Amino acid sequence: MRSRRPLLAALTTAALAAGALAGFAGLGTAAGPADDLTTAAASTGGVKIAYYDQWSVYGNAFYPKHLDTRGIAGKVDVINYSFGNIHPTDLTCFEANKAAGDDANPNAGDGAGDSYADYQKSFVAADSVDGVADTWNQPIVGVFNQFKELKAKYPQLKINISLGGWTYSKFFHDAAKTDASRKKLVASCVKQYIQGDLPVEGGYGGAGAAAGIFDGIDIDWEYPGSANGHLGNHYGPEDKANFTLLLAEFRKQLDEYGTAHGGKKYLLTAALPAGQDKIKYIETDKIGAYLDYANIMTYDMHGAWDADGPTYHQSPLYSPASDPTDPIAPGTQKYSIDNAIDAWLDGNAAYGIAGGFPANKLTLGYEFYYRGWKGVPAGARNGLAQSATGASAARPVSQQAGIAHYKELGGIVDNAATTFWDDEAKAAYFYKDGEFFTGLDKRAIQARADYAHNRGLAGAMMYSLLGLDANATLFNDIVTAVGSSPNPDPTPTPTPSPSNPTPSPSPSNPTPSPSDPPSGCSAAAWSSTAVYTGGGLVSHKGHTWKAQWWTQGEEPGTTGEWGVWLDQGAC
């Protein structure tokens, strides 16, 4: 079988100086029967998560302000800011102003980072969210300060720091190896991003300088246990268990910090692979206990790294009999979104995948870029499943052969004469003058959203906002297709202790029996020592409260808007 290692996101020269590259190397998995999308129930699937890249502020001049002026900030639930890095020797979260190397360099991300973009780049009034120019005596400037201004305008918006990505995943393996190293990494990330203690650089930073900006942490380890990440990545078989333990430690420390600081609920999410060759190294039946959302990278299944083809969809919803590509070894299945979700939810014995991940915490990835080939004959299907002579020509913004942003292909993607539909794979493709591109249009977006509704999934993850045009066309199509956002907290499975990832009942600490409720309330009174599970009702201070997940000792009314307890109203 030919190698299918996805290419990197293309950056401008200035962006390369900024550091980490994108995390979109999620390969799909095996085939299965098509679901009846016409019967999709639109009661699920409304959460919207999108990535904003660190390097957006350079040559592309795509500032946080544009998240406001283009109508994005009011429609998205969570923004993941990509990416933070792990220090190669300290194995901690850190800040640096050092460019990453090129993809052929096994040490490309070692010690790299962009503290300048993060909190040292000043914004003039015209480029600032609040229309006021930064001044020299602010604690911080940069993207972090712009996010602070954005959140003041959109208080419902949550922002996560995303750690890792394609270039910065090298040292996850080392940091996750022992209980001590896990605790050290997590504590450093909470201190730097959640507590906001930034190192003083360029006259900015200091203790608490970034406090209140980030609402959680996104883990983008590409990939635990797999040799198919960036050249030079560290990995090993122990990653499978250690990834679970690392997530458990993040969940534990985020919860502890939130409890100690006003009862705030901090998010923990992860970008996760869609290929069975990578999913098999993850404990799919355990990690859902710790994550609020798992964002499956359902794109980059095919691309011009196979320079001579065959051309095929980068994100097919299904893999029909006409799929000309090779199966995933050692099985017989091919890459598709449907097969990826089957693996996460239901498992796949042929690849050693347990399944068991909660559907209502899982989002599908939507890509804002296109994969392309050149020298493609039209053939019987307008370039689909044909040979090629290489990657499509580099475009001015993406600056990399084989990839183009939506805003660079408007004349092809928005032209009915060059847009085609594969009704078997439920995927769009585009062909003109020997160039073949694969990616999203409105019909493909709707099919993917209908599929998510049909399977009871959480919603959409979008990579990345940098690829949008000025009208945010694809973003708005996704917002319309997935529907209104639900309460942003799914109903998690009980959170086990980090030393016992698989939860089990505790007969010595049972669910509380009814007690005398407050006057006028029918539910039992809340008890600080009782254990409650998702859906449990209690009475407290004249109100009825509903638990969204396992909890003990968290007083209703004190856990914040994303907390465990939902107010059901006065008794």
Side-chain angles (χ1 to χ4, degrees), residues 84-427:
N85 199 357
I86 297 174
H87 195 279
T89 56
D90 292 344
L91 302 179
T92 58
C93 278
F94 73 109
E95 284 281 356
N97 193 14
K98 175 187 174 184
D102 62 74
D103 192 35
N105 178 3
N107 304 313
D110 293 9
D114 196 347
S115 58
Y116 177 75
D118 289 349
Y119 63 98
Q120 298 171 57
K121 172 182 166 56
S122 291
F123 284 81
V124 299
D127 297 333
S128 181
V129 171
D130 65 1
V132 178
D134 289 334
T135 60
W136 65 269
N137 58 343
Q138 293 177 201
I140 56 170
V141 288
V143 173
F144 286 5
N145 188 60
Q146 292 299 302
F147 279 163
K148 182 183 293 186
E149 295 178 5
L150 195 67
K151 289 180 68 176
K153 194 167 186 178
Y154 298 93
Q156 89 292 343
L157 179 64
K158 307 299 178 185
I159 300 178
N160 290 340
I161 180 65
S162 185
L163 306 177
W166 179 253
T167 308
Y168 288 171
S169 287
K170 181 175 180 178
F171 296 105
F172 270 119
H173 164 82
D174 307 88
K177 263 189 175 180
T178 69
D179 182 65
S181 63
R182 290 188 292 269
K183 283 182 167 61
K184 181 181 179 182
L185 171 65
V186 175
S188 71
C189 299
V190 169
K191 179 177 174 61
Q192 180 166 291
Y193 295 113
I194 305 301
Q195 187 169 316
D197 291 354
L198 298 173
V200 176
E201 293 184 10
Y204 298 100
I213 295 172
F214 292 105
D215 301 285
I217 295 175
D218 176 62
I219 307 300
D220 192 357
W221 182 350
E222 300 185 19
Y223 302 94
S226 174
N228 293 318
H230 189 280
L231 180 67
N233 273 11
H234 296 173
Y235 65 94
E238 64 271 32
D239 290 348
K240 186 167 186 175
N242 288 345
F243 182 49
T244 304
L245 294 171
L246 181 64
L247 294 179
E249 188 61 36
F250 269 105
R251 180 75 278 155
K252 176 178 180 290
Q253 291 198 36
L254 286 170
D255 286 351
E256 289 174 347
Y257 187 88
T259 298
H261 294 79
K264 180 180 172 69
K265 160 72 174 178
Y266 286 96
L267 291 173
L268 180 62
T269 64
L272 295 168
Q276 292 156 323
D277 53 339
K278 299 176 182 65
I279 300 172
K280 67 182 181 180
Y281 297 115
I282 296 173
E283 294 180 321
T284 55
D285 56 337
K286 296 180 180 179
I287 64 171
Y290 308 107
L291 292 172
D292 292 292
Y293 294 108
N295 304 315
I296 310 303
M297 294 181 280
T298 45
Y299 35 70
D300 289 342
M301 299 178 189
H302 304 288
W305 45 88
D306 283 336
D308 57 353
T311 59
Y312 203 60
H313 311 293
Q314 71 154 315
S315 51
L317 190 54
Y318 301 106
S319 175
S322 60
D323 182 342
T325 62
D326 296 329
I328 310 168
T332 60
Q333 298 178 326
K334 298 184 180 182
Y335 300 138
S336 78
I337 293 172
D338 181 48
N339 300 329
I341 303 313
D342 279 348
W344 277 99
L345 302 186
D346 304 324
N348 189 311
Y351 294 89
I353 300 171
F357 193 89
N360 68 335
K361 291 186 177 186
L362 189 154
T363 72
L364 296 182
Y366 292 75
E367 68 277 13
F368 289 155
Y369 58 92
Y370 297 79
R371 296 287 183 185
W373 287 262
K374 67 179 181 181
V376 180
R381 301 184 69 186
N382 299 293
L384 182 64
Q386 299 296 310
S387 62
T389 61
S392 60
R395 261 58 181 181
V397 177
S398 58
Q399 294 192 356
Q400 181 175 328
I403 191 169
H405 294 305
Y406 173 86
K407 57 191 174 186
E408 298 179 289
L409 293 181
I412 298 176
V413 173
D414 296 329
N415 186 340
T418 54
T419 299
F420 303 93
W421 178 251
D422 182 346
D423 199 49
E424 292 182 309
K426 304 294 183 189

Side-chain angles (χ1 to χ4, degrees), residues 35-63:
D35 295 273
D36 183 3
L37 299 182
T38 63
T39 62
S43 60
T44 60
V47 71
K48 291 169 280 289
I49 300 170
Y51 279 82
Y52 178 87
D53 297 322
Q54 194 175 47
W55 51 92
S56 299
V57 299
Y58 294 109
N60 286 285
F62 178 55
Y63 304 129

